[in-house]
Amino acid sequence: MGKWYQPLFSHDQEIQQPSNPVTPSSLPCVAIPLSWHHFVVPSLATPPPQSPVSPENVKDSHGYSPKYLTWAISGMPLRLYEAAGELEHVKGIIKWGTDYLLKTFNSSADTIDSIVAQVGEGDTSKGPDANDHYCWMRPEDIDYTRPVYECHSCSDLASKMAASLAAASIVFKDSKTYSDKLVHGAKTLFQYGRLQRGRYSPGGTDPAIFYNSTGYWDEFLWGGSWLYFATGNSSYLQLATAPALAKHAGAFWGGPDYGVFSWDNKLTGSQVLLSRLRLFLSPGYPYEEILSTFHNQTGNIMCSYLPFFKSFNRTKGGLIQLNHGHVLREEKMASSANSLCRAELESRGLKWRSMRTFVDDMF
């Protein structure tokens, strides 16, 4: 138990100091129903988009933002970011996130036995005692104890972190020392996740309340895919294209969350990523069969988002409801998968443009 403080902003971010800054005495703890914790409340302190934390002050190690920013960069020519004067900025944002992830385990070791999965506590059922969900405030004003939660068998979390570091190593390939450090950390995490099987949020733990994980097979697919892109080591591609792994990850049985890309479901992202591999690298035998399957599934998933197919309910205004009544976490993730797939095709001049009018008219 103890405090773990880290500023939420990267060192080169411009921060406008308010003329009348909020202090602990002027902003009391505000009770927020736990089921609302994904909503952004403008009047309360909210981390910037690149933060590896939830919309309050609980710090988790999922590493979403560095991973998706990395994918966006790797899917488009870097000269476009350079022309906009944003390449170094976005790389700095990614590095801020990966630096944090590297601190959550012994990244210099070849083997590990634990990961810091979460800093802070979110369980509000114990009463009004201040914690990171019950009390939203600026990190510099926090004066309550923030426990550190370690996991010793967390295949899902380790594989997601490995994917983030592996993806970022591609962005930093011109900085060999740092890129190698990211690759080494990714390998260590992925090996740990494969050897010490288990979910990072077993029953009774704080993460199980609000970031519960349902399994780790899709994360094996996700982590193995990114490690292949980062290293070129065919053993990772063999794993990612193993039919048994695809089956365990739910690639063949559908379900209400099929095609819904979220923090708990990396299958759709893996299908898009491996479709990219087939389109642009075409590794052929013995990978073609499963890659072709993923490619077809990706096409079906993209179509399922269109109103014509009625795979999901919609609001009266036409917004897709991917969450099936659950906490609103999936919409932005599936939108990211759709946008990334479209960007991948357009960046290579493939035949998505002929469908653009159709898609725009549908929405």
Side-chain angles (χ1 to χ4, degrees), residues 44-62:
L44 302 176
T46 304
Q50 72 272 20
S51 174
V53 303
S54 311
E56 61 307 284
N57 287 322
V58 174
K59 297 176 72 68
D60 61 58
S61 302
H62 290 274

Side-chain angles (χ1 to χ4, degrees), residues 4 6 52-53 59-63 96-108 112-119 148-152 154 157-158 160-162 164-165 181 185 188-189 192:
W4 180 312
Q6 179 179 346
V53 303
K59 297 176 72 68
D60 61 58
S61 302
H62 290 274
W96 183 81
T98 52
D99 282 349
Y100 174 80
L101 293 180
L102 288 170
K103 294 175 182 177
T104 61
F105 68 103
N106 186 356
S107 60
S108 63
I112 57 174
D113 60 6
S114 66
I115 297 173
V116 172
Q118 179 178 299
V119 178
V148 175
Y149 169 63
E150 289 188 354
C151 60
H152 297 272
C154 37
L157 184 62
K160 280 189 279 195
M161 291 171 62
S164 296
L165 298 184
K181 183 177 183 178
T188 299
L189 284 166
Y192 161 74

Side-chain angles (χ1 to χ4, degrees), residues 7-329:
L8 289 178
F9 295 92
S10 56
H11 65 89
D12 59 348
Q13 220 175 330
E14 295 182 9
I15 304 175
Q16 191 85 26
Q17 292 293 340
S19 56
N20 53 340
V22 177
T23 64
S25 59
S26 62
L27 177 61
C29 286
V30 180
I32 303 293
L34 188 60
S35 61
W36 290 8
H37 91 279
H38 284 281
F39 287 85
V40 175
V41 182
S43 63
L44 302 176
T46 304
Q50 72 272 20
S51 174
V53 303
S54 311
E56 61 307 284
N57 287 322
V58 174
K59 297 176 72 68
D60 61 58
S61 302
H62 290 274
Y64 312 137
S65 300
K67 182 162 50 217
Y68 302 127
L69 283 172
T70 296
W71 196 353
I73 289 183
S74 63
M76 298 291 285
L78 293 183
R79 57 182 170 77
L80 298 180
Y81 291 89
E82 291 176 332
E86 289 296 321
L87 181 58
E88 293 307 313
H89 181 210
V90 73
K91 287 174 70 174
I93 292 173
I94 293 170
K95 187 175 185 297
W96 183 81
T98 52
D99 282 349
Y100 174 80
L101 293 180
L102 288 170
K103 294 175 182 177
T104 61
F105 68 103
N106 186 356
S107 60
S108 63
D110 293 329
T111 59
I112 57 174
D113 60 6
S114 66
I115 297 173
V116 172
Q118 179 178 299
V119 178
E121 188 175 26
D123 184 3
T124 59
S125 66
K126 302 174 183 177
D129 294 337
N131 69 21
D132 290 294
H133 269 175
Y134 193 88
C135 190
W136 288 14
M137 60 170 60
R138 300 187 307 173
E140 55 266 39
D141 295 330
I142 292 174
D143 60 358
Y144 51 82
T145 299
R146 308 183 72 201
V148 175
Y149 169 63
E150 289 188 354
C151 60
H152 297 272
S153 57
C154 37
S155 303
D156 40 13
L157 184 62
S159 299
K160 280 189 279 195
M161 291 171 62
S164 296
L165 298 184
S169 73
I170 300 171
V171 172
F172 292 101
K173 61 184 178 182
D174 292 335
S175 304
K176 189 176 186 305
T177 300
Y178 190 64
S179 182
D180 288 348
K181 183 177 183 178
L182 293 172
V183 169
H184 182 270
K187 289 179 177 179
T188 299
L189 284 166
F190 196 65
Q191 175 182 261
Y192 161 74
R194 293 283 293 165
L195 292 177
Q196 295 183 220
R197 301 287 177 93
R199 295 183 301 114
Y200 95 105
S201 57
T205 61
D206 194 73
I209 300 172
F210 52 92
Y211 267 146
N212 186 47
S213 173
T214 57
Y216 49 75
W217 298 103
D218 55 318
E219 277 90 2
F220 283 163
L221 185 57
W222 183 239
S225 299
W226 275 113
L227 273 163
Y228 174 69
F229 275 90
T231 66
N233 186 328
S234 61
S235 66
Y236 294 117
L237 183 57
Q238 290 170 7
L239 173 66
T241 56
L245 179 56
K247 179 180 178 181
H248 284 306
F252 305 122
W253 53 265
D257 291 330
Y258 191 80
V260 180
F261 189 36
S262 73
W263 59 268
D264 189 36
N265 182 10
K266 293 297 183 290
L267 174 61
T268 302
S270 302
Q271 290 164 321
V272 172
L273 186 62
L274 292 173
S275 295
R276 169 190 180 182
L277 175 67
R278 180 174 186 255
L279 281 169
F280 307 127
L281 297 180
S282 188
Y285 180 84
Y287 314 109
E288 172 59 21
E289 182 177 357
I290 194 69
L291 291 179
S292 175
T293 298
F294 284 151
H295 191 182
N296 291 333
Q297 290 172 340
T298 297
N300 292 335
I301 289 167
M302 296 303 134
C303 287
S304 75
Y305 298 152
L306 300 176
F308 177 81
F309 293 97
K310 303 185 186 302
S311 300
F312 297 95
N313 295 328
R314 294 180 181 270
T315 67
K316 292 181 180 179
L319 295 177
I320 191 171
Q321 293 180 311
L322 296 165
N323 61 323
H324 299 290
H326 302 303
V327 176
L328 295 175
R329 64 173 180 258

